[in-house]
Amino acid sequence: MHIFAIANQKGGVGKTTTTVNLAAALAARGQRTLLVDLDPQGNATMGSGIDKRALTQSVYHLLVGLATLAEVRASSSAKFDLLPANRDLAGAEVEMVELERREMRLKDALAAHADEYDFVLIDCPPSLSLLTLNGLCSAHGVVIPMQCEYYALEGLSDLVNTIKKVHANLNNDLKIIGLLRVMFDSRATLGHQVSAELEQHFGDKVFKTIVPRNVRLAEAPSYGIPGVLFDKSSKGAQAYLAFASEMIERVKTM
Ligand code: ADP
Ligand code: MG
């Protein structure tokens, strides 16, 4: 079981879109996949076709010890399993502070199911909070989606420092798997410049796959279907399918 946190403390950079579509693409490639929604916004839950307003048990209940993983787990019609979330999860942030092993609650919950999945993908909230810390403490690696814009590199250093600290103090396994360029606009000169700069700084930590800006990926969540299945022939879907193949190759070397 390979566990990856999809993280970037900025909002709106494509974390959820990447998590949902990578999960669907991995499942389409025959990989047993679990998606963990760690964001109280519940966007990954809705995008997977599960109604966040109708949940009786959610990741909140799992993290505070009110339910088991098996009780919380739902299955998406896109052939992956889901630990769904809604705004209840914001409460976990506060309640977990008092609990033992507060950074390890998700890791401990996943450990009992290690032989059931090939991939676990964790959609992190846009913060460096206790929820994100639970994601980073559970993971073998971090996938960082980013837009190739002027300020992209600025925010990156905070995240890289957090990952270094977690690696040193809480989770020796943790490493950056790679940076994924998303919402890429091939007509913008700046995008190409930032993209080249990323390759220069981070070398083979930059994934080969580039996800283009594609309206079909943005439309899919309102239908509760991952973009990869909503319009399989779209450029966005094709990119995430290619990214899944790249991830499958990448884990072979881990
Ligand atoms: P985050 O989880 O980091 O906040 P999201 O994945 O929710 O980011 O994406 C933010 C917005 O951008 C959403 O409306 C989403 O549909 C849209 N979006 C994400 N990736 C793409 C893309 N490749 N092309 C077009 N729109 C995208
Ligand atoms: Mg999100």
Tab-separated table of all heavy atoms in Angstrom, residues 120-149:
chain	number	residue	atom	x	y	z
A	120	VAL	N	-3.437	4.772	-1.580
A	120	VAL	CA	-4.315	5.625	-0.770
A	120	VAL	C	-3.940	7.069	-1.111
A	120	VAL	O	-2.760	7.442	-1.062
A	120	VAL	CB	-4.126	5.369	0.737
A	120	VAL	CG1	-5.008	6.315	1.553
A	120	VAL	CG2	-4.449	3.915	1.080
A	121	LEU	N	-4.936	7.865	-1.486
A	121	LEU	CA	-4.706	9.275	-1.835
A	121	LEU	C	-5.448	10.156	-0.842
A	121	LEU	O	-6.653	9.980	-0.627
A	121	LEU	CB	-5.224	9.563	-3.247
A	121	LEU	CG	-4.684	8.678	-4.381
A	121	LEU	CD1	-5.328	9.099	-5.700
A	121	LEU	CD2	-3.168	8.763	-4.466
A	122	ILE	N	-4.723	11.079	-0.236
A	122	ILE	CA	-5.316	11.936	0.788
A	122	ILE	C	-5.434	13.361	0.264
A	122	ILE	O	-4.421	14.005	-0.049
A	122	ILE	CB	-4.439	11.920	2.062
A	122	ILE	CG1	-4.253	10.473	2.558
A	122	ILE	CG2	-5.069	12.802	3.143
A	122	ILE	CD1	-3.172	10.332	3.630
A	123	ASP	N	-6.664	13.847	0.170
A	123	ASP	CA	-6.908	15.221	-0.278
A	123	ASP	C	-6.820	16.145	0.935
A	123	ASP	O	-7.693	16.133	1.796
A	123	ASP	CB	-8.293	15.325	-0.923
A	123	ASP	CG	-8.550	16.691	-1.534
A	123	ASP	OD1	-7.579	17.382	-1.897
A	123	ASP	OD2	-9.732	17.073	-1.652
A	124	CYS	N	-5.759	16.931	1.018
A	124	CYS	CA	-5.524	17.781	2.185
A	124	CYS	C	-6.226	19.135	2.046
A	124	CYS	O	-6.420	19.630	0.939
A	124	CYS	CB	-4.022	18.020	2.376
A	124	CYS	SG	-3.135	16.522	2.841
A	125	PRO	N	-6.575	19.741	3.197
A	125	PRO	CA	-7.177	21.078	3.157
A	125	PRO	C	-6.106	22.133	2.852
A	125	PRO	O	-4.913	21.857	2.967
A	125	PRO	CB	-7.731	21.252	4.572
A	125	PRO	CG	-6.893	20.368	5.425
A	125	PRO	CD	-6.462	19.219	4.568
A	126	PRO	N	-6.541	23.336	2.479
A	126	PRO	CA	-5.589	24.396	2.145
A	126	PRO	C	-5.045	25.093	3.390
A	126	PRO	O	-5.335	26.247	3.641
A	126	PRO	CB	-6.427	25.357	1.298
A	126	PRO	CG	-7.816	25.161	1.797
A	126	PRO	CD	-7.925	23.726	2.214
A	127	SER	N	-4.274	24.361	4.177
A	127	SER	CA	-3.699	24.927	5.400
A	127	SER	C	-2.593	23.992	5.843
A	127	SER	O	-2.472	22.879	5.330
A	127	SER	CB	-4.760	24.989	6.502
A	127	SER	OG	-5.233	23.680	6.775
A	128	LEU	N	-1.793	24.436	6.793
A	128	LEU	CA	-0.816	23.528	7.389
A	128	LEU	C	-1.299	23.244	8.810
A	128	LEU	O	-0.672	23.565	9.795
A	128	LEU	CB	0.587	24.150	7.361
A	128	LEU	CG	1.112	24.434	5.946
A	128	LEU	CD1	2.420	25.210	5.981
A	128	LEU	CD2	1.291	23.155	5.151
A	129	SER	N	-2.477	22.621	8.882
A	129	SER	CA	-3.192	22.416	10.138
A	129	SER	C	-2.965	21.007	10.673
A	129	SER	O	-2.249	20.208	10.067
A	129	SER	CB	-4.677	22.592	9.870
A	129	SER	OG	-5.065	21.630	8.897
A	130	LEU	N	-3.639	20.702	11.790
A	130	LEU	CA	-3.548	19.353	12.358
A	130	LEU	C	-4.132	18.310	11.406
A	130	LEU	O	-3.683	17.165	11.373
A	130	LEU	CB	-4.255	19.321	13.717
A	130	LEU	CG	-4.118	18.066	14.577
A	130	LEU	CD1	-2.671	17.614	14.700
A	130	LEU	CD2	-4.717	18.307	15.959
A	131	LEU	N	-5.111	18.705	10.617
A	131	LEU	CA	-5.653	17.779	9.612
A	131	LEU	C	-4.595	17.457	8.560
A	131	LEU	O	-4.348	16.294	8.243
A	131	LEU	CB	-6.899	18.376	8.943
A	131	LEU	CG	-8.184	18.396	9.775
A	131	LEU	CD1	-9.260	19.221	9.085
A	131	LEU	CD2	-8.680	16.974	10.050
A	132	THR	N	-3.965	18.499	8.033
A	132	THR	CA	-2.900	18.273	7.046
A	132	THR	C	-1.773	17.462	7.668
A	132	THR	O	-1.213	16.560	7.026
A	132	THR	CB	-2.373	19.623	6.512
A	132	THR	OG1	-3.445	20.292	5.849
A	132	THR	CG2	-1.227	19.426	5.538
A	133	LEU	N	-1.463	17.760	8.927
A	133	LEU	CA	-0.413	17.018	9.630
A	133	LEU	C	-0.763	15.528	9.702
A	133	LEU	O	0.103	14.664	9.526
A	133	LEU	CB	-0.256	17.601	11.030
A	133	LEU	CG	1.127	17.514	11.680
A	133	LEU	CD1	2.218	18.012	10.759
A	133	LEU	CD2	1.115	18.299	12.989
A	134	ASN	N	-2.039	15.218	9.937
A	134	ASN	CA	-2.467	13.816	9.916
A	134	ASN	C	-2.235	13.191	8.540
A	134	ASN	O	-1.822	12.041	8.439
A	134	ASN	CB	-3.941	13.693	10.309
A	134	ASN	CG	-4.108	13.332	11.777
A	134	ASN	OD1	-4.227	12.161	12.124
A	134	ASN	ND2	-4.074	14.347	12.627
A	135	GLY	N	-2.497	13.971	7.494
A	135	GLY	CA	-2.227	13.491	6.137
A	135	GLY	C	-0.748	13.221	5.937
A	135	GLY	O	-0.345	12.152	5.460
A	136	LEU	N	0.079	14.189	6.351
A	136	LEU	CA	1.532	14.062	6.130
A	136	LEU	C	2.144	12.955	6.986
A	136	LEU	O	3.115	12.323	6.580
A	136	LEU	CB	2.229	15.398	6.415
A	136	LEU	CG	1.859	16.553	5.488
A	136	LEU	CD1	2.601	17.826	5.898
A	136	LEU	CD2	2.155	16.218	4.027
A	137	CYS	N	1.590	12.724	8.176
A	137	CYS	CA	2.117	11.665	9.043
A	137	CYS	C	1.724	10.268	8.551
A	137	CYS	O	2.375	9.288	8.881
A	137	CYS	CB	1.665	11.867	10.486
A	137	CYS	SG	2.523	13.227	11.288
A	138	SER	N	0.651	10.188	7.777
A	138	SER	CA	0.203	8.894	7.245
A	138	SER	C	0.961	8.506	5.983
A	138	SER	O	0.996	7.336	5.616
A	138	SER	CB	-1.273	8.959	6.834
A	138	SER	OG	-2.064	9.453	7.857
A	139	ALA	N	1.495	9.511	5.287
A	139	ALA	CA	1.913	9.318	3.895
A	139	ALA	C	3.354	8.850	3.746
A	139	ALA	O	4.201	9.119	4.597
A	139	ALA	CB	1.714	10.622	3.132
A	140	HIS	N	3.591	8.153	2.638
A	140	HIS	CA	4.966	7.866	2.221
A	140	HIS	C	5.507	9.021	1.385
A	140	HIS	O	6.713	9.188	1.264
A	140	HIS	CB	5.001	6.585	1.390
A	140	HIS	CG	4.420	5.407	2.111
A	140	HIS	ND1	3.305	4.731	1.678
A	140	HIS	CD2	4.787	4.816	3.271
A	140	HIS	CE1	3.017	3.758	2.539
A	140	HIS	NE2	3.897	3.798	3.509
A	141	GLY	N	4.617	9.749	0.793
A	141	GLY	CA	5.076	10.832	-0.062
A	141	GLY	C	4.020	11.886	-0.289
A	141	GLY	O	2.834	11.673	-0.034
A	142	VAL	N	4.481	13.032	-0.759
A	142	VAL	CA	3.594	14.156	-1.033
A	142	VAL	C	3.615	14.467	-2.523
A	142	VAL	O	4.688	14.520	-3.140
A	142	VAL	CB	4.039	15.430	-0.268
A	142	VAL	CG1	2.989	16.527	-0.406
A	142	VAL	CG2	4.290	15.117	1.197
A	143	VAL	N	2.426	14.643	-3.069
A	143	VAL	CA	2.280	15.117	-4.438
A	143	VAL	C	1.789	16.551	-4.336
A	143	VAL	O	0.791	16.825	-3.656
A	143	VAL	CB	1.266	14.250	-5.222
A	143	VAL	CG1	0.943	14.877	-6.572
A	143	VAL	CG2	1.783	12.826	-5.367
A	144	ILE	N	2.510	17.462	-4.978
A	144	ILE	CA	2.176	18.888	-4.861
A	144	ILE	C	1.690	19.416	-6.215
A	144	ILE	O	2.487	19.601	-7.130
A	144	ILE	CB	3.417	19.696	-4.412
A	144	ILE	CG1	3.998	19.113	-3.118
A	144	ILE	CG2	3.054	21.169	-4.243
A	144	ILE	CD1	5.323	19.740	-2.699
A	145	PRO	N	0.378	19.656	-6.310
A	145	PRO	CA	-0.108	20.267	-7.546
A	145	PRO	C	0.180	21.756	-7.517
A	145	PRO	O	0.034	22.393	-6.474
A	145	PRO	CB	-1.622	20.019	-7.522
A	145	PRO	CG	-1.938	19.421	-6.203
A	145	PRO	CD	-0.721	19.415	-5.354
A	146	MET	N	0.625	22.295	-8.624
A	146	MET	CA	0.825	23.743	-8.663
A	146	MET	C	0.580	24.351	-10.026
A	146	MET	O	0.751	23.716	-11.047
A	146	MET	CB	2.203	24.121	-8.133
A	146	MET	CG	3.354	23.363	-8.694
A	146	MET	SD	4.825	23.766	-7.772
A	146	MET	CE	4.757	25.545	-7.802
A	147	GLN	N	0.140	25.598	-9.973
A	147	GLN	CA	-0.052	26.346	-11.199
A	147	GLN	C	1.254	27.056	-11.513
A	147	GLN	O	1.952	27.500	-10.609
A	147	GLN	CB	-1.167	27.371	-11.018
A	147	GLN	CG	-2.540	26.754	-11.054
A	147	GLN	CD	-3.621	27.779	-10.732
A	147	GLN	OE1	-4.128	27.822	-9.625
A	147	GLN	NE2	-3.957	28.598	-11.706
A	148	CYS	N	1.558	27.145	-12.781
A	148	CYS	CA	2.809	27.786	-13.166
A	148	CYS	C	2.601	29.279	-13.291
A	148	CYS	O	2.528	29.837	-14.389
A	148	CYS	CB	3.323	27.191	-14.473
A	148	CYS	SG	3.866	25.497	-14.263
A	149	GLU	N	2.475	29.927	-12.135
A	149	GLU	CA	2.276	31.372	-12.133
A	149	GLU	C	3.367	32.033	-11.292
A	149	GLU	O	4.153	31.349	-10.619
A	149	GLU	CB	0.886	31.714	-11.593
A	149	GLU	CG	0.676	31.161	-10.199
A	149	GLU	CD	-0.739	31.333	-9.703
A	149	GLU	OE1	-1.653	31.463	-10.523
A	149	GLU	OE2	-0.908	31.317	-8.476
